[in-house]
Amino acid sequence: MVCPKSNGLCAARRVLLAWFAQNPMDCVLLLFCCSPEIQNPMDRALEFQLIHELCLYVLSASQRTELIRATLSTLHAFLSWIPLGYIFESPLLETLLKFFPVPAYRNLTLQCLTEVAALQFGNYYDVQYVKMYSIFMGQLQSILPPTTNIPEAYAHGSSEEQAFIQNLALFFTSFFKVHIRTLESTQENISALLLGLEYLINISYVDDTEVFKVCLDYWNSLVSELFEPNRSLDNPAAAATMMGLQKVPTMLPGMVDGHGSQLLQRRQLYSGPMSKLRMLMICRMAKPEEVLIVEDENGNIVRETLKDNDVLVQYKIMRETLIYLSHLDHDDTEKQMLRKLSKQLSGEDWTWNNLNTLCWAIGSISGSMMEEQENRFLVMVIRDLLNLCEITKGKDNKAVIASNIMYVVGQYPRFLRAHWKFLKTVVNKLFEFMHETHPGVQDMACDTFLKIVQKCKRKFVITQVGENEPFVSELLSGLPITIADLEPHQIHSFYESVGHMIQAESDAQKRDEYLQRLMELPNQKWMEIIGQAHQNVDFLKDQDVIRTVLNILQTNTSVASSLGTYFLPQISLIFLDMLNVYRMYSELISKSITEGGPFASRTSYVKLLRSVKRETLKLIETFLDKAEDQPQIGKQFVPPMMDPVLGDYARNVPDARESEVLSLFATIVNKYKAAMIEDVPRIFEAVFQCTLEMITKNFEDYPEHRLKFFSLLRAIATHCFPALICLSSQQLKLVMDSIIWAFRHTERNIAETGLNLLLEMLKKFQGSEFCNQFYRTYFLTIEQEIFAVLTDTFHKPGFKLHVLVLQHLFCLLETGALTEPLWDVATNPYPYTSNAVFVREFTIKLLSTSFPNMTTAEVTQFVNGLFESTNDLSTFKTHIRDFLVQSKEFSAQDNKDLYAEEAAAQRERERQRMLSIPGLIAPSELQDEMVDS
């Protein structure tokens, strides 16, 4: 480096260096104190020349280990920001590389080299980077020969040796992320590059989560980079091809031009490392969420109790990486998986972990192959797994194999739909697993059965070739035996699955017959209980009977959720008796709470009774919600509920009121819309006043009632607005006060529901004959309250809705919809020229009070901006957000909630990108784009 012209500075530097040479320990202290965090960035760059020379001097002249280590640590702290000339136009890199082979300095040197490797600034210093990498690789082969078993060396190494492997992973990933294309330029460089990738693949096998995360992050970015640019080679045929709709042409447009040729060459260059990477992903695949059976720390096979979110995140990244790898070479992916599976079958490579990771990998690439190849692949996979299950002995071994069979088949609905015999074999195997009492197997069998039926339901209701009857009929005949060993919650899942099958039957007579056969067991038990109750009503008070009633209702709810409208014959059968049980249990609850006080509501007996009431409400709501819009269903079911349900809610003590009543009637109003207008006064009378008294005392009590109450209000405002107009002014004020109270709430769901309800009310009143009267009463109050929550940092999640309300109010002023003054003419004789002028002045005064740190000119500028951008929502929103972010209250906070819409748009773009790549979103997670015919 050239010395500045100032002779004084040069002399000072020489004196300082000479002093350090004689006082090395003081040098150590100074080097440790040279922390870049405490210096101004501009000052750092200007003053680093002295530190740079000092470091080079120490590294070249000193023999003291602690001094050299301190110097390397200091360099590491500075390297990410110093001017590049100090690194590449001085002997610094050469000096660092001399220290790399020395064990005492190896890790610190490697950290410094990693900082240099991560720098991004174009290709100006490419020559220096290639030279640095070449020298480094030559040294590395002496330190860690390529034939070394790195995972084993790591497992038995010292902490210093383990740190070296960790640092090596960071160096390679940092260098390749920025400079890999530079190394692709010549054959000599390519050899060094491929050797580096080989090292990184070996490091990726190290049994250390953090090391693997570093490697995985890079592998994911590399394979997506290799795949994504090449999609121009595959399109437009790719999407159709991958979904199995047509054959791949041998030569696609774009392959013949120079760009396409370069892309193919690049794929070819990395084909070797990518093949090894496929095996790495297969061997280390993380556990998917659907798998419930795991190996505990003692080596036992148990049911998973807690989900590990880190593992789920890792699975998603590994799955995406393997999907890309599959697209890059389907044949190699298939070959490696089948070879590994055959080793499981022969026993050569059999372990629980090996089978697990292989099957998780097989399941994860669902949808990425062409249909013909996927079919051929799956036939072999399922056949081998079923054989493995037959020949393997031991309960734990069978549980592991069962878990993997269920996971794999659940991921490939397209294959199962196309192969009835495999589908039938798989479902019968699931029925076998439903008798297996090993923890987790039955749960997973029921979950997989539901997943498969949802995707293949038509297959079960048609008579297949070689069969005497549809599978659903055969299933219903053997149903009592199939569910004999299942727990209640598993039986509910099973009934839901069969409901999906029956729903797919188009013949009404057959459908009703299947439903009657499905519900035979629960109906038989229900009739017994009701018959006993007719003889002695106290029979219903027995706790075992209450549990049985609850279980029957839950079974009905499960079937209603999947059968929808077609559940009508079954619910008609039990409906009136069910309401009578509801009424009786409600009276028992009220009596218990009246006699025993608030504590009585927490007793197991009362909780059990309330569970029956809630399940009754849930069953009715599920049926009405799922039923297609048929007015006669509403007429049949709503009137009989008015007194047993609504009247019961009003009569009960607060602790005995079920919040599900509110959500049930919200569903009814949303479903039957204007047909409910005549019933709204009765609904209001039963729930409005008494619920408000429960929820407005504080922000904590009755949390479930809060949200459901405002959801009911919103349903009424949306579909039965004429009923609200008929309210007295005092009742309407109560409604408006409750809405304001709702959006003041710090609970996000409640505040959002309140704001949506407010928007609905504002729009409805704008189009009504009471527009002037309503806005004259509430315009200023609403504006004031909205600005209060908008400028409160606790309410940032509601930003989008706050903006929509304010825009609605300001648009009203611009459009002239309000024909009467908003100000009180009697008390304010000053004649404003328009409502807009009045509101502008009111808003400036309001915000000047709220933001005392802002000048009147700043507030006025903001308010003028609001009026100028009223008709452009995007500009209006940005103007308000800029104002908030610049304010003292918001400037020091994380304001991501203010950008929630943009984040949601980005997520949607990402989803569309993923949908365009077959397999990235698993077929089992997609709605039925694939026709179940």
Side-chain angles (χ1 to χ4, degrees):
M1 302 300 292
V2 180
C3 184
K5 293 178 182 176
S6 165
N7 292 329
L9 185 58
C10 283
R13 185 182 299 109
R14 283 195 296 273
V15 170
L16 191 59
L17 291 173
W19 180 77
F20 276 138
Q22 295 172 24
N23 300 277
M25 293 315 296
D26 292 323
C27 180
V28 173
L29 288 171
L30 182 67
L31 287 168
F32 274 125
C33 291
C34 287
S35 170
E37 283 83 2
I38 61 171
Q39 299 181 33
N40 179 287
M42 289 299 293
D43 293 341
R44 292 180 198 164
L46 292 171
E47 295 173 5
F48 188 74
Q49 187 176 352
L50 180 59
I51 297 170
H52 176 257
E53 286 198 18
L54 172 61
C55 289
L56 277 180
Y57 173 78
V58 172
L59 293 176
S60 59
S62 176
Q63 299 298 315
R64 292 175 174 264
T65 303
E66 68 273 27
L67 180 56
I68 293 172
R69 288 178 64 86
T71 306
L72 291 169
S73 292
T74 300
L75 265 177
H76 178 245
F78 281 98
L79 279 169
S80 62
W81 59 265
I82 64 171
L84 299 174
Y86 286 110
I87 300 172
F88 296 103
E89 295 171 23
S90 79
L92 181 61
L93 272 182
E94 193 180 321
T95 305
L96 284 172
L97 287 164
K98 284 178 184 172
F99 280 99
F100 178 56
V102 184
Y105 313 128
R106 187 172 295 150
N107 277 322
L108 285 168
T109 305
L110 193 47
Q111 287 172 355
C112 291
L113 292 172
T114 301
E115 286 294 336
V116 175
L119 296 172
Q120 300 185 48
F121 43 77
N123 56 6
Y124 189 74
Y125 291 111
D126 280 358
V127 175
Q128 288 89 332
Y129 269 114
V130 170
K131 184 180 176 185
M132 166 184 143
Y133 182 79
S134 300
I135 295 170
F136 175 84
M137 289 304 293
Q139 294 173 332
L140 179 62
Q141 290 176 71
S142 301
I143 298 166
L144 190 71
T147 54
T148 306
N149 184 330
I150 293 178
E152 195 174 307
Y154 186 91
H156 299 104
S158 65
S159 58
E160 192 75 9
E161 289 167 335
Q162 290 183 340
F164 173 64
I165 300 298
Q166 293 164 4
N167 289 327
L168 198 55
L170 288 166
F171 171 80
F172 278 128
T173 54
S174 300
F175 194 97
F176 292 152
K177 273 180 185 175
V178 185
H179 309 291
I180 195 165
R181 285 185 177 271
T182 308
L183 295 175
E184 295 170 8
S185 54
T186 68
Q187 190 55 51
E188 186 183 350
N189 293 342
I190 287 171
S191 299
L193 163 61
L194 294 178
L195 182 59
L197 290 172
E198 182 81 23
Y199 271 109
L200 191 57
I201 284 172
N202 290 335
I203 292 170
S204 301
Y205 279 99
V206 164
D207 188 13
D208 182 287
T209 304
E210 295 309 312
V211 172
F212 186 67
K213 278 182 184 175
V214 169
C215 299
L216 177 61
D217 177 59
Y218 175 67
W219 293 130
N220 180 258
S221 68
L222 175 63
V223 295
S224 62
E225 184 188 325
L226 286 173
F227 174 74
E228 290 281 5
N230 290 284
R231 294 181 60 210
S232 59
L233 303 179
D234 305 327
N235 284 337
T241 299
M242 295 304 176
M243 298 314 281
L245 301 179
Q246 64 183 67
K247 300 251 185 206
V248 189
T250 50
M251 185 65 82
L252 291 168
M255 282 191 180
V256 292
D257 65 15
H259 182 59
S261 175
Q262 282 178 4
L263 295 172
L264 287 172
Q265 285 173 10
R266 194 160 189 248
R267 275 190 180 180
Q268 191 59 41
L269 169 63
Y270 290 105
S271 62
M274 292 303 100
S275 183
K276 291 177 180 176
L277 184 57
R278 283 183 196 97
M279 183 49 69
L280 169 70
M281 291 295 127
I282 292 166
C283 291
R284 296 210 58 172
M285 180 57 70
K287 186 182 77 64
E289 189 171 11
E290 298 95 322
V291 176
L292 304 177
I293 296 156
V294 295
E295 186 178 351
D296 69 10
E297 64 274 12
N298 301 316
N300 299 316
I301 296 298
V302 296
R303 190 197 192 290
E304 184 180 52
T305 51
L306 287 172
K307 295 289 180 192
D308 186 333
N309 287 328
D310 285 345
V311 172
L312 295 180
V313 169
Q314 186 174 308
Y315 170 74
K316 285 176 183 172
I317 299 171
M318 293 187 76
R319 183 182 171 282
E320 182 178 296
T321 306
L322 196 52
I323 290 284
Y324 285 133
L325 286 167
S326 178
H327 281 303
L328 289 170
D329 191 337
H330 292 297
D331 291 340
D332 185 58
T333 306
E334 178 185 356
K335 200 183 302 176
Q336 294 210 44
M337 288 178 169
L338 290 176
R339 190 187 306 134
K340 196 164 173 61
L341 182 56
S342 71
K343 289 182 179 179
Q344 296 296 305
L345 210 55
S346 68
E348 180 187 340
D349 200 23
W350 161 260
T351 68
W352 292 341
N353 185 62
N354 286 347
L355 181 66
N356 284 341
T357 54
L358 170 62
C359 291
W360 299 341
I362 289 170
S364 73
I365 62 166
S366 171
S368 66
M369 293 180 177
M370 290 177 290
E371 188 167 7
E372 187 182 326
Q373 183 176 15
E374 182 179 277
N375 289 346
R376 187 181 68 245
F377 174 58
L378 258 291
V379 165
M380 291 186 277
V381 167
I382 295 175
R383 183 196 62 206
D384 285 356
L385 285 173
L386 291 172
N387 286 342
L388 188 62
C389 194
E390 292 302 317
I391 65 174
T392 307
K393 307 298 180 191
K395 245 177 145 34
D396 282 352
N397 291 337
K398 284 189 176 293
V400 170
I401 298 168
S403 161
N404 285 306
I405 290 173
M406 291 187 283
Y407 173 66
V408 170
V409 297
Q411 299 308 302
Y412 286 91
R414 180 174 67 180
F415 169 80
L416 293 176
R417 274 205 290 257
H419 298 81
W420 165 249
K421 287 190 176 177
F422 266 98
L423 175 56
K424 184 179 179 182
T425 303
V426 162
V427 170
N428 282 327
K429 199 71 185 172
L430 292 175
F431 291 171
E432 278 182 40
F433 294 152
M434 288 178 191
H435 298 288
E436 174 55 66
T437 54
H438 200 292
V441 173
Q442 291 170 307
D443 275 327
M444 203 165 167
C446 292
D447 291 349
T448 307
F449 181 50
L450 177 58
K451 181 186 280 191
I452 289 173
V453 170
Q454 285 172 329
K455 295 293 181 182
C456 309
K457 52 192 172 188
R458 284 277 305 138
K459 300 296 173 190
F460 299 105
V461 294
I462 56 178
T463 305
Q464 300 287 346
V465 177
E467 306 282 351
N468 297 322
E469 59 181 345
F471 184 84
V472 65
S473 181
E474 185 184 322
L475 178 155
L476 290 168
S477 299
L479 185 140
I481 297 169
T482 306
I483 65 171
D485 295 320
L486 296 178
E487 297 291 322
H489 73 279
Q490 295 160 346
I491 292 173
H492 302 152
S493 172
F494 188 92
Y495 268 74
E496 182 185 346
S497 303
V498 183
H500 280 292
M501 288 185 189
I502 296 171
Q503 191 263 340
E505 174 56 70
S506 53
D507 184 317
Q509 189 176 343
K510 284 185 183 176
R511 199 169 51 229
D512 290 350
E513 181 214 325
Y514 292 152
L515 176 60
Q516 182 265 322
R517 288 171 65 190
L518 174 65
M519 301 308 293
E520 199 171 312
L521 288 175
N523 281 349
Q524 189 180 333
K525 196 68 187 168
W526 176 259
M527 294 307 176
E528 281 178 24
I529 291 171
I530 296 302
Q532 293 266 27
H534 282 315
Q535 295 172 21
N536 179 10
V537 77
D538 287 343
F539 176 73
L540 286 169
K541 297 178 183 177
D542 181 84
Q543 291 210 24
D544 289 334
V545 173
I546 300 170
R547 287 191 188 91
T548 305
V549 168
L550 177 60
N551 189 28
I552 293 169
L553 292 174
Q554 288 169 332
T555 304
N556 276 273
T557 304
S558 297
V559 179
S561 70
S562 55
L563 204 49
T565 309
Y566 305 137
F567 188 69
L568 178 62
Q570 169 63 18
I571 197 168
S572 300
L573 190 68
I574 63 171
F575 184 67
L576 294 177
D577 286 331
M578 187 169 68
L579 285 183
N580 287 331
V581 172
Y582 181 96
R583 191 198 304 265
M584 177 189 166
Y585 282 0
S586 188
E587 288 168 2
L588 281 175
I589 292 167
S590 289
K591 185 182 176 186
S592 297
I593 293 176
T594 305
E595 292 174 358
F599 174 76
S601 64
R602 294 191 287 275
T603 60
S604 59
Y605 183 65
V606 169
K607 282 181 177 178
L608 194 56
L609 290 171
R610 293 190 73 168
S611 294
V612 172
K613 283 185 68 182
R614 287 181 183 134
E615 195 59 39
T616 303
L617 296 167
K618 183 181 175 184
L619 170 56
I620 299 168
E621 184 180 341
T622 302
F623 169 66
L624 293 178
D625 184 43
K626 298 277 183 179
E628 288 167 14
D629 194 10
Q630 297 181 6
Q632 75 273 13
I633 291 181
K635 287 172 185 169
Q636 179 181 343
F637 289 98
V638 175
M641 287 193 294
M642 283 300 184
D643 185 67
V645 176
L646 266 186
D648 170 76
Y649 183 93
R651 290 189 294 270
N652 260 328
V653 293
D655 282 346
R657 289 184 187 131
E658 307 302 340
S659 63
E660 286 77 8
V661 172
L662 304 173
S663 58
L664 169 60
F665 277 88
T667 298
I668 289 170
V669 172
N670 281 323
K671 195 75 181 176
Y672 300 109
K673 302 180 172 61
M676 293 298 297
I677 287 176
E678 291 179 10
D679 297 298
V680 168
R682 188 162 179 194
I683 295 172
F684 253 76
E685 184 186 344
V687 306
F688 190 74
Q689 187 73 42
C690 65
T691 308
L692 268 184
E693 286 171 5
M694 289 165 63
I695 65 176
T696 52
K697 289 176 182 173
N698 54 51
F699 283 130
E700 286 82 39
D701 293 346
Y702 307 106
E704 291 180 350
H705 290 73
R706 295 168 190 276
L707 187 58
K708 291 170 182 175
F709 174 72
F710 292 110
S711 297
L712 172 59
L713 268 188
R714 186 182 178 190
I716 292 170
T718 307
H719 303 297
C720 304
F721 183 71
L724 287 181
I725 291 180
C726 297
L727 295 175
S728 67
S729 58
Q730 289 87 353
Q731 285 176 314
L732 183 59
K733 184 176 186 312
L734 260 181
V735 172
M736 294 306 297
D737 286 347
S738 70
I739 292 172
I740 290 169
W741 183 91
F743 68 68
R744 279 182 186 168
H745 207 288
T746 50
E747 177 63 43
R748 182 174 185 158
N749 289 345
I750 295 172
E752 274 188 17
T753 306
L755 288 163
N756 279 312
L757 170 55
L758 175 62
L759 268 171
E760 205 64 57
M761 294 278 282
L762 294 177
K763 289 171 187 172
K764 293 287 187 184
F765 269 107
Q766 182 185 353
S768 77
E769 59 191 292
F770 301 98
C771 178
N772 279 302
Q773 184 182 339
F774 174 80
Y775 280 102
R776 192 168 62 245
T777 308
Y778 294 108
F779 186 102
L780 298 181
T781 304
I782 292 169
E783 184 194 357
Q784 191 167 345
E785 292 290 350
I786 288 293
F787 268 118
V789 288
L790 175 70
T791 55
D792 181 344
T793 54
F794 284 112
H795 286 87
K796 279 187 281 192
F799 174 72
K800 172 189 171 183
L801 293 168
H802 298 153
V803 169
L804 288 173
V805 172
L806 287 176
Q807 189 204 24
H808 175 89
L809 294 177
F810 285 116
C811 277
L812 273 177
L813 303 173
E814 297 292 318
T815 58
L818 301 177
T819 55
E820 296 179 14
L822 291 173
W823 64 92
D824 187 345
V825 180
T827 59
N828 195 345
Y830 175 75
Y832 291 97
T833 54
S834 68
N835 279 325
V837 173
F838 166 69
V839 171
R840 190 186 299 252
E841 184 181 303
F842 172 82
T843 307
I844 291 170
K845 287 178 183 174
L846 175 67
L847 293 177
S848 295
T849 308
S850 301
F851 293 97
N853 296 323
M854 290 191 171
T855 64
T856 306
E858 287 173 324
V859 173
T860 303
Q861 184 183 1
F862 168 64
V863 174
N864 288 341
L866 288 179
F867 278 90
E868 288 162 12
S869 60
T870 296
N871 295 315
D872 181 350
L873 178 60
S874 178
T875 309
F876 188 77
K877 179 179 73 177
T878 304
H879 183 65
I880 294 177
R881 184 165 58 205
D882 290 346
F883 174 75
L884 291 176
V885 170
Q886 290 164 16
S887 70
K888 182 181 175 184
E889 290 79 1
F890 282 76
S891 58
Q893 293 206 353
D894 175 6
N895 291 311
K896 68 175 184 295
D897 284 327
L898 302 183
Y899 298 86
E901 276 185 282
E902 288 79 359
Q906 176 58 35
R907 285 194 298 274
E908 180 54 29
R909 285 193 295 273
E910 174 61 12
R911 178 173 168 77
Q912 292 306 317
R913 181 193 73 81
M914 292 175 74
L915 281 169
S916 72
I917 301 171
L920 267 194
I921 295 181
S924 58
E925 292 174 15
L926 291 169
Q927 294 303 312
D928 262 332
E929 280 91 348
M930 296 185 291
V931 181
D932 175 22
S933 57

